[in-house]
Amino acid sequence: AQSVTQLGSHVSVSEGALVLLRCNYSSSVPPYLFWYVQYPNQGLQLLLKYTSAATLVKGINGFEAEFKKSETSFHLTKPSAHMSDAAEYFCAVSEPNAGNMLTFGGGTRLMVKP
Amino acid sequence: DAGVIQSPRHEVTEMGQEVTLRCKPISGHDYLFWYRQTMMRGLELLIYFNNNVPIDDSGMPEDRFSAKMPNASFSTLKIQPSEPRDSAVYFCASSLGRGSVNQPQHFGDGTRLSIL
């Protein structure tokens, strides 16, 4: 069975600082990995996805994530935080032939201080 | 292009009443998912459909919950009778599976349900 662990339910950074949101997964086969963002009173929006084409994946709004098989990690980063990045971020994993089902992590709420 | 459309956006009703949540997936998508989000339990998958057929309903909390997908462009999630602990945000998502490999899910804006 697959699972996703997001370390830190809350992360606070200053505007302009590096954003690092951690995600570790467990899967019996090479997985597909996703990061979603949820702004208040909205649904989840896709930030980026890893589907084995390249280990470093670039997404929208300046975010990127690196797949590290040896560490079973898929951490999300952004070099410089903006106030508008304040939101909840979810890491999700899907296994091949799993019917597009996603297993979500518990989410990390990112707060950006001025 | 229109995304996943859910209605109503907000629903407030009294305990014991029947509640029906509605979802229109993105045209052409063949997978549809219903989720529930609460502070305590986070995001939970309730049920999902492929080509209008329920595939996995193991996340449905109890018999009070039921979901249908009568055609490719419409799905409902019904709670009867409703209870205060059903209060949550319910999301519908759809994705393309046919001929594609693990396409992302696209989410609606959710229905915020409050049972008094």
Side-chain angles (χ1 to χ4, degrees):
Chain A
Q2 54 200 8
S3 66
V4 180
T5 302
Q6 291 184 240
L7 290 175
S9 59
H10 292 80
V11 169
S12 181
V13 301
S14 298
E15 193 173 18
L18 171 71
V19 175
L20 170 60
L21 304 182
R22 299 178 188 274
C23 172
N24 288 89
Y25 68 91
S26 68
S27 175
S28 56
V29 297
Y32 298 105
L33 296 155
F34 305 82
W35 274 100
Y36 284 84
V37 60
Q38 184 180 27
Y39 298 103
N41 300 315
Q42 294 186 25
L44 279 68
Q45 301 174 32
L46 181 69
L47 265 182
L48 50 82
K49 66 178 183 180
Y50 166 76
T51 54
S52 75
T55 56
L56 183 62
V57 182
K58 293 188 184 299
I60 61 171
N61 301 340
F63 284 93
E64 62 182 35
E66 186 173 9
F67 172 66
K68 291 188 177 179
K69 184 178 178 181
S70 60
E71 298 177 8
T72 60
S73 69
F74 191 57
H75 301 331
L76 182 71
T77 60
K78 181 174 180 177
S80 176
H82 295 160
M83 296 298 291
S84 60
D85 294 327
E88 186 145 22
Y89 292 79
F90 292 91
C91 182
V93 63
S94 174
E95 291 187 350
N97 304 317
N100 282 16
M101 256 184 60
L102 292 176
T103 299
F104 284 91
T108 297
R109 184 167 297 279
L110 176 66
M111 293 166 283
V112 182
K113 298 175 292 188
Chain B
D1 287 343
V4 175
I5 299 172
Q6 291 186 246
S7 64
R9 287 298 313 276
H10 302 274
E11 173 94 12
V12 181
T13 192
E14 291 189 347
M15 177 175 133
Q17 297 296 306
E18 178 178 291
V19 172
T20 299
L21 311 181
R22 297 173 176 79
C23 176
K24 178 179 167 53
I26 292 172
S27 177
H29 281 190
D30 51 341
Y31 280 90
L32 185 139
F33 305 81
W34 281 101
Y35 292 89
R36 178 172 69 178
Q37 186 177 39
T38 60
M39 291 290 290
M40 291 298 293
R41 291 209 281 264
L43 199 59
E44 303 172 275
L45 175 65
L46 300 177
I47 185 172
Y48 80 96
F49 295 82
N50 179 219
N51 292 322
N52 313 338
V53 176
I55 302 300
D56 185 346
D57 66 354
S58 59
M60 295 285 261
E62 45 197 279
D63 292 346
R64 297 184 298 105
F65 285 70
S66 61
K68 293 183 180 179
M69 192 163 185
N71 57 62
S73 58
F74 183 64
S75 176
T76 59
L77 178 68
K78 190 171 290 189
I79 308 172
Q80 165 65 16
S82 57
E83 296 183 4
R85 61 192 167 121
D86 301 331
S87 298
V89 182
Y90 290 81
F91 287 104
C92 176
S94 70
S95 69
L96 181 65
R98 193 184 323 112
S100 304
V101 178
N102 284 87
Q103 291 296 309
Q105 294 180 17
H106 298 260
F107 283 75
D109 283 336
T111 295
R112 185 172 296 274
L113 178 64
S114 296
I115 308 297
L116 306 177

